[in-house]
Amino acid sequence: MLTASLVMLAAFTVIYLVTYGNIERENQQRLKSVSAMFFVPNHIPPAGAMNGDFQPPTIPERFSVDYGVSFVLFVKDGRLENVNSQLNFEYSVYREAFEKVGTADKGKIILADRKWLFTVVPTPPKVESLNRQPIDMQYTRIVFLDITNGIKILQTLMLTLTGVGAGVLLALFWLSYHFALRAVRPIEESYNKQKRFIADASHELRTPLAIIGANVEAIETNGEESVESQKEWFGYIHAALNRTGKLLEDLLYLAKSEGLKNEDNLPFDLSVICERVCASMEAVLYDNGVSMETDLEKNVIAIGDSEKIAQVFYILLDNAGKYTPQGGKIQFTLSRANDRAIARVTNSGDGIGAEDLAKIFDRFYRTDASRSTETGGFGLGLSIAKTIVDRSGGIITAESTGGLTTFTVKLKPG
């Protein structure tokens, strides 16, 4: 923005200076033209209006519109002798102009509420009359040119450039501000996610470490007892260690897979994978009082890592089983549509709110923390599923309406 402001300031300065120079040159040319034309007065003021003896007009001269609004004072021996003027000024105005010039050779004055440019030009000692007889008239001429309009043009230009410059700067500031916000927003979101990730990971690790610490203290308290008699405490320690190991393994996978594509993507029979996963999970779901219906199209070939894609469906079915009430139902469908292999896992239940849907694939995010604690989840399953699908070049989405929650996985066809 600073660079744009400097460039604009330089451009506007050049425009103003060029315009100023052109107007000044034009004024000087007009002033020169007037001074070169009028050598003798052609207007006689009334008697006593000015000091000095007035001469009658010798050459009937007229002002041209090309010269602009101007008049000429004729001075001899330091006294105002006569004028040539196209204006109906009182003679006192001409005397005021003469007095304001003083001893200056050129310059600018304000007269009759207008701005005038003037120059003092000595008249040649001899000029020719109409009958070509030389006239010896030793006048010094003071030529005046009205430059008020030129100054107004410059003032208008200055106001215009200032207004345009201010408007452009405001527009640049607004654009810069909004582009800066857009540029910073992903960084801010990434920073906030990182902070939340560290806080959530610390929270998840705190629980198994607390369990291990408590059981070690219990063992130390009963130090005289045998290992066999304290197998219960050791069992709790092993369970906590296994839980911690699983958490670290999941975190390591997510860290390694961030933004990468799977180089092991190969065509595989997705129908076979889905049948195997459903067969493995059906008994587990049945024990939890949840039924499962399947509708799997045969010979659906997809591109990806078959074992990792199987893990995705294990995660989705396990997640659906945890949040489907007893007596509820899960539907698993597989089909081909629009050159995609499409698998859907739908479960009945309370559903997921719109606010939660936008964050459902975030790490450690759980719609019901208390419920997730009971089921032993870390809130990493769906994040891992999304990472696997992304690495396979596919898409995973979630929607929840009317008490039904559906996760859809779309993979590239083989």
Side-chain angles (χ1 to χ4, degrees):
M1 183 174 175
L2 177 62
T3 302
S5 300
L6 292 175
V7 170
M8 184 176 61
L9 178 62
F12 286 178
T13 301
V14 169
I15 292 172
Y16 181 82
L17 291 177
V18 169
T19 306
Y20 177 83
N22 290 336
I23 292 177
E24 284 291 309
R25 281 193 296 272
E26 183 178 355
N27 288 336
Q28 292 295 335
Q29 289 173 357
R30 288 182 173 181
L31 196 64
K32 185 177 180 182
S33 299
V34 174
S35 63
M37 181 176 179
F38 300 107
F39 294 98
V40 294
N42 64 354
H43 180 72
I44 302 175
M50 293 184 179
N51 294 330
D53 300 322
F54 299 104
Q55 299 290 337
T58 307
I59 303 175
E61 297 171 312
R62 292 190 177 184
F63 287 80
S64 169
V65 293
D66 293 334
Y67 301 145
V69 179
S70 57
F71 63 89
V72 182
L73 300 183
F74 291 86
V75 179
K76 188 176 182 181
D77 297 331
R79 295 183 304 174
L80 179 60
E81 295 286 335
N82 215 319
V83 298
N84 275 1
S85 177
Q86 58 179 312
L87 306 169
N88 293 323
F89 283 155
E90 296 289 337
Y91 287 104
S92 59
V93 177
Y94 297 120
R95 174 163 293 283
E96 180 184 353
F98 174 68
E99 292 173 352
K100 285 188 175 182
V101 169
T103 59
D105 292 332
K106 58 183 177 179
K108 297 175 183 177
I109 65 170
I110 296 177
L111 185 69
D113 296 328
R114 298 183 72 82
K115 194 74 175 275
W116 301 82
L117 181 68
F118 73 88
T119 184
V120 179
V121 183
T123 300
K126 292 184 179 181
V127 296
E128 292 184 350
S129 65
L130 290 175
N131 57 9
R132 300 194 177 277
Q133 295 296 320
I135 302 174
D136 187 6
M137 303 193 67
Q138 197 75 11
Y139 285 116
T140 296
R141 293 167 298 146
I142 306 176
V143 184
F144 290 83
L145 179 69
D146 186 354
I147 59 172
T148 306
N149 291 336
I151 292 177
K152 287 182 178 179
I153 290 174
L154 290 176
Q155 291 174 342
T156 302
L157 179 62
M158 176 63 75
L159 291 175
T160 301
L161 293 179
T162 302
V164 171
V168 172
L169 286 178
L170 288 175
L172 284 175
F173 176 79
W174 185 84
L175 289 174
S176 300
Y177 177 75
H178 283 273
F179 276 116
L181 285 182
R182 291 182 61 182
V184 170
R185 190 175 294 117
I187 300 174
E188 183 181 7
E189 291 177 355
S190 177
Y191 176 73
N192 290 333
K193 285 183 178 180
Q194 184 179 13
K195 285 178 59 179
R196 188 170 65 247
F197 170 78
I198 294 173
D200 292 340
S202 300
H203 175 75
E204 295 294 345
L205 287 170
R206 188 182 298 115
T207 300
L209 290 176
I211 293 173
I212 293 172
N215 284 279
V216 167
E217 289 180 1
I219 293 172
E220 289 176 345
T221 302
N222 302 313
E224 297 180 355
E225 296 186 13
S226 64
V227 174
E228 185 67 23
S229 64
Q230 301 189 74
K231 287 181 64 176
E232 180 181 1
W233 313 123
F234 285 111
Y236 293 148
I237 292 174
H238 280 298
L241 289 173
N242 290 335
R243 179 178 172 83
T244 304
K246 178 64 170 60
L247 172 60
L248 294 177
E249 182 181 343
D250 290 343
L251 292 176
L252 183 61
Y253 174 79
L254 289 172
K256 287 182 177 179
S257 303
E258 189 72 37
L260 298 177
K261 294 294 183 182
N262 195 344
E263 297 179 356
D264 299 328
N265 289 338
L266 296 171
F268 67 96
D269 193 333
L270 183 59
S271 300
V272 173
I273 295 297
C274 290
E275 288 175 358
R276 188 181 74 193
V277 172
C278 289
S280 300
M281 292 295 297
E282 189 171 11
V284 176
L285 295 173
Y286 179 80
D287 289 340
N288 293 334
V290 178
S291 62
M292 181 170 63
E293 295 180 358
T294 60
D295 182 10
L296 308 177
E297 185 176 331
K298 298 293 185 180
N299 301 320
V300 176
I301 307 301
I303 299 293
D305 184 332
S306 59
E307 292 304 315
K308 290 297 182 183
I309 295 300
Q311 183 182 355
V312 170
F313 295 128
Y314 278 119
I315 291 171
L316 294 180
L317 287 175
D318 180 64
N319 187 74
K322 290 176 181 178
Y323 291 96
T324 302
Q326 286 192 353
K329 183 171 62 177
I330 295 175
Q331 291 181 322
F332 193 118
T333 64
L334 175 65
S335 60
R336 275 185 294 249
N338 299 325
D339 295 329
R340 287 274 187 174
I342 301 177
R344 288 187 174 89
V345 177
T346 301
N347 68 282
S348 58
D350 295 334
I352 303 174
E355 182 179 349
D356 292 322
L357 276 175
K359 305 174 183 178
I360 198 70
F361 295 106
D362 291 351
R363 299 174 188 179
F364 294 110
Y365 188 80
R366 290 169 289 196
T367 58
D368 188 344
S370 61
R371 175 83 179 275
S372 297
T373 302
E374 294 173 3
T375 56
F378 292 115
L380 292 175
L382 291 178
S383 182
I384 292 173
K386 186 177 188 310
T387 300
I388 293 172
V389 173
D390 288 345
R391 291 190 66 191
S392 299
I395 302 172
I396 183 171
T397 58
E399 58 182 329
S400 184
T401 56
L404 294 177
T405 300
T406 301
F407 286 87
T408 302
V409 177
K410 298 180 180 179
L411 299 174
K412 294 180 178 180

